[in-house]
Amino acid sequence: MKVLTGLLIPNSGSVTIAGKETSGYGEREWDELRKHMGVVFQYSALFDFLDVGENVAFGLRRYFKLTEKEIGDRVAELLDMVGLPGTERMKTSELSGGMKKRVGLARALAMNPDIVLYDEPTSGLDPIMTTVISKLIRKTQEQLGVTSILITHDMESVFVAADRVAMIYEGDFVVVDTVENVRNSDNPIVQAFIRGMELEGV
């Protein structure tokens, strides 16, 4: 995640985003690219000194010259999209874990990004809310046409939200394929991960 957002420099290889290789980017180029990205953090990373509405509006206020009405309308639209209408004035301390995830998603979508990065989006959630968030990720991707990249260990979430899967084991990709092909893979490492089984000899 940090490599994809320019916070860390890769030790090897290259990162190409929107057809452009980013290894030579400085902070100015990365800052411009980040305007087209949204990030949903593992533990939401909401600002506890701001209410829900101000959290969602944070990027809009920083990067755009909008009227208060335009900001308010955009925030209301996004909160409605993630199933939290009318929660603008709520404090973050009043939110459940699932609500915080949804507010984090609304904030990530505020600037109409081309790419949304999800860092363990279902971490710490119960099975029901995990399904709700996974379906919301899928709905958002289809409704807005954004590229969604999930970093997750939750295979049930992967099967709901993803189109393609890249699985890493000991630093190498063991599979890069469609969800259906990964689900039916005969690779023992892949199947062990899906089923939560221990690999022999490990």
Side-chain angles (χ1 to χ4, degrees):
M1 186 73 72
K2 291 182 179 180
V3 170
L4 292 176
T5 54
L7 299 178
L8 286 179
I9 299 173
N11 295 324
S12 61
S14 62
V15 177
T16 300
I17 300 175
K20 295 181 180 179
E21 211 283 312
T22 62
S23 60
Y25 276 19
E27 189 57 29
R28 179 177 297 178
E29 290 89 350
W30 272 112
D31 201 41
E32 186 62 32
L33 184 56
R34 291 182 192 120
K35 294 179 184 178
H36 304 279
M37 294 180 175
V39 180
V40 180
F41 297 93
Q42 181 173 357
Y43 297 109
S44 304
L46 300 179
F47 300 113
D48 58 10
F49 57 90
L50 298 176
D51 61 25
V52 166
E54 288 300 319
N55 265 281
V56 176
F58 184 81
L60 296 175
R61 294 192 186 282
R62 179 177 180 184
Y63 290 109
F64 297 96
K65 294 180 179 179
L66 301 173
T67 67
E68 286 302 307
K69 183 180 186 309
E70 288 171 328
I71 291 174
D73 288 347
R74 179 63 175 155
V75 169
E77 175 189 9
L78 289 163
L79 289 173
D80 185 62
M81 182 184 298
V82 300
L84 294 174
T87 58
E88 287 90 338
R89 301 281 75 87
M90 287 185 69
K91 298 177 181 179
T92 58
S93 60
E94 299 176 294
L95 304 177
S96 67
M99 292 172 75
K100 288 180 179 179
K101 297 279 187 180
R102 285 183 276 171
V103 173
L105 175 56
R107 183 178 62 183
L109 297 173
M111 297 194 301
N112 290 316
D114 300 312
I115 302 169
V116 180
L117 306 170
Y118 297 87
D119 184 10
E120 298 284 358
T122 59
S123 177
L125 299 180
D126 61 61
I128 294 175
M129 187 52 62
T130 291
T131 301
V132 169
I133 295 298
S134 300
K135 288 183 176 179
L136 182 58
I137 292 170
R138 165 61 73 179
K139 174 187 172 184
T140 300
Q141 186 272 330
E142 292 175 346
Q143 186 173 336
L144 302 181
V146 296
T147 297
S148 300
I149 300 175
L150 283 72
I151 297 175
T152 183
H153 293 81
D154 184 351
M155 291 307 297
E156 291 304 317
S157 179
V158 168
F159 293 149
V160 172
D163 296 307
R164 293 180 62 79
V165 181
M167 187 178 293
I168 298 175
Y169 178 72
E170 294 188 341
D172 292 317
F173 287 109
V174 292
V175 65
V176 180
D177 212 329
T178 64
V179 167
E180 192 61 28
N181 286 345
V182 168
R183 192 198 300 267
N184 297 316
S185 172
D186 58 5
N187 185 313
I189 296 173
V190 174
Q191 283 302 317
F193 195 91
I194 290 173
R195 300 173 186 278
M197 298 167 58
E198 185 176 352
L199 281 170
E200 291 185 12
V202 175

